[in-house]
Amino acid sequence: MRRILLAACCAAFAAAAQAAPKADPVQWTLDGTTFEGVLVHDGDGDGPKPGLLMVPNWRGVNASAVEKARQMAGDDYVVLVADVYGRDVRPQNDAEAGPVAGALRNEEGRATLRARARKALEVLQAQPQVDAEQVGAVGFCFGGTTVLELARDGAPLAGVVSLHGGLSTTAPASSPVTPAILVLNGADDRGVSAEEIAGFQQEMDAVDADWQFVNFAGAVHCFAEADADSPPNCVYHERSAKRAWRMMDDFFEERFAQ
């Protein structure tokens, strides 16, 4: 199975080897709000493939998020870039993104976040290109927080990968967590405390979760996103990013082989 590689490392080879995966807008509604994500796939019609729900960082659905989905999809996966804000909410900078993401991360908003992510997962499973029995979820930063909420909520997923996502929650898991979980964390991320790491591990152990936690030395928040450049705590870290993307690839290859 093709390795997931960073575009910065293999763009020239990928362009020569195959055409870029297609990116098609997909709309759905929930509770009166219209959402618009992007379905990324190779369009070869070669039978249903495993699906990945990709929840972007707090900037939401944009060109950067779609490019990451293209890297993941290749000819192995169908990826839905999930919209959890609404079609008309497209933050253009961190100042705009913060309040929108914050409203979904607080105690009152977590249920809404879980419901919106669940709906996006249903949309992914309903796509004809997707094997609905083989789906996973991956998220970056705010998206990492979101996919962990999906796991806590009992979503029917083979596995979940959080890249530099938040670990704490206002609604800890209270029943067995069935998806396998891989958390990829920057060891120097100022937004994730030792207490939060310990609390997450205790929470997962209490519900008999299959979890792995990896700390990357020298990495801060956003370390796996090649276009991250907002020091001091949101910076791309090439060494850690390469390893993290390979770990993610290995993780999903193992999960979908079950």
Side-chain angles (χ1 to χ4, degrees):
M1 184 173 279
R2 184 192 61 82
R3 290 283 183 182
I4 296 174
L5 298 176
L6 292 173
C9 302
C10 65
F13 172 80
Q18 62 180 39
K22 297 180 178 180
D24 299 325
V26 180
Q27 290 190 4
W28 61 92
T29 60
L30 179 68
D31 297 331
T33 299
T34 299
F35 299 84
E36 183 171 286
V38 178
L39 190 73
V40 178
H41 59 101
D42 65 6
D44 65 6
D46 188 23
K49 298 177 180 179
L52 294 177
L53 183 74
M54 196 202 93
V55 186
N57 62 34
W58 67 357
R59 292 281 190 92
V61 179
N62 58 21
S64 175
V66 173
E67 179 56 32
K68 293 182 184 71
R70 289 185 190 275
Q71 295 169 37
M72 291 179 192
D75 59 2
D76 291 324
Y77 304 118
V78 176
V79 181
L80 177 63
V81 182
D83 178 12
V84 295
Y85 289 164
R87 180 183 58 185
D88 299 326
V89 181
R90 294 291 186 263
Q92 298 302 303
N93 51 51
D94 290 349
E96 293 181 3
V100 180
L104 292 172
R105 281 191 307 221
N106 65 27
E107 185 171 1
E108 294 77 16
R110 289 275 172 155
T112 299
L113 179 60
R114 290 185 179 189
R116 290 179 176 183
R118 279 267 197 172
K119 180 62 177 181
L121 178 60
E122 292 173 6
V123 171
L124 172 64
Q125 290 176 301
Q127 301 305 308
Q129 305 95 327
V130 174
D131 180 348
E133 299 301 316
Q134 293 200 86
V135 291
V138 55
F140 296 85
C141 301
F142 167 76
T145 300
T146 303
V147 298
L148 290 177
E149 289 298 306
L150 273 177
R152 289 176 170 117
D153 198 40
L157 295 160
V160 163
V161 177
S162 169
L163 294 111
H164 36 80
L167 304 178
S168 61
T169 183
T170 58
S174 58
S175 56
V177 169
T178 54
I181 296 174
L182 174 61
V183 175
L184 303 172
N185 184 67
D188 295 337
D189 189 338
R190 300 180 184 182
V192 180
S193 68
E195 291 75 19
E196 287 173 321
I197 293 172
F200 172 78
Q201 294 175 351
Q202 291 168 6
E203 177 194 2
M204 293 296 106
D205 283 343
V207 291
D208 197 30
D210 173 7
W211 63 271
Q212 302 170 71
F213 187 95
V214 181
N215 255 339
F216 292 94
V220 296
H221 199 59
C222 316
F223 71 85
E225 301 190 74
D227 54 358
D229 187 22
S230 297
N233 199 45
C234 184
V235 180
Y236 176 61
H237 194 258
E238 183 177 10
R239 179 187 68 202
S240 300
K242 288 179 178 178
R243 293 174 180 174
W245 280 69
R246 286 186 179 275
M247 289 179 185
M248 176 170 61
D249 180 62
D250 289 341
F251 175 81
F252 282 123
E253 184 173 347
E254 181 264 331
R255 294 310 301 154
F256 292 139
Q258 300 297 309

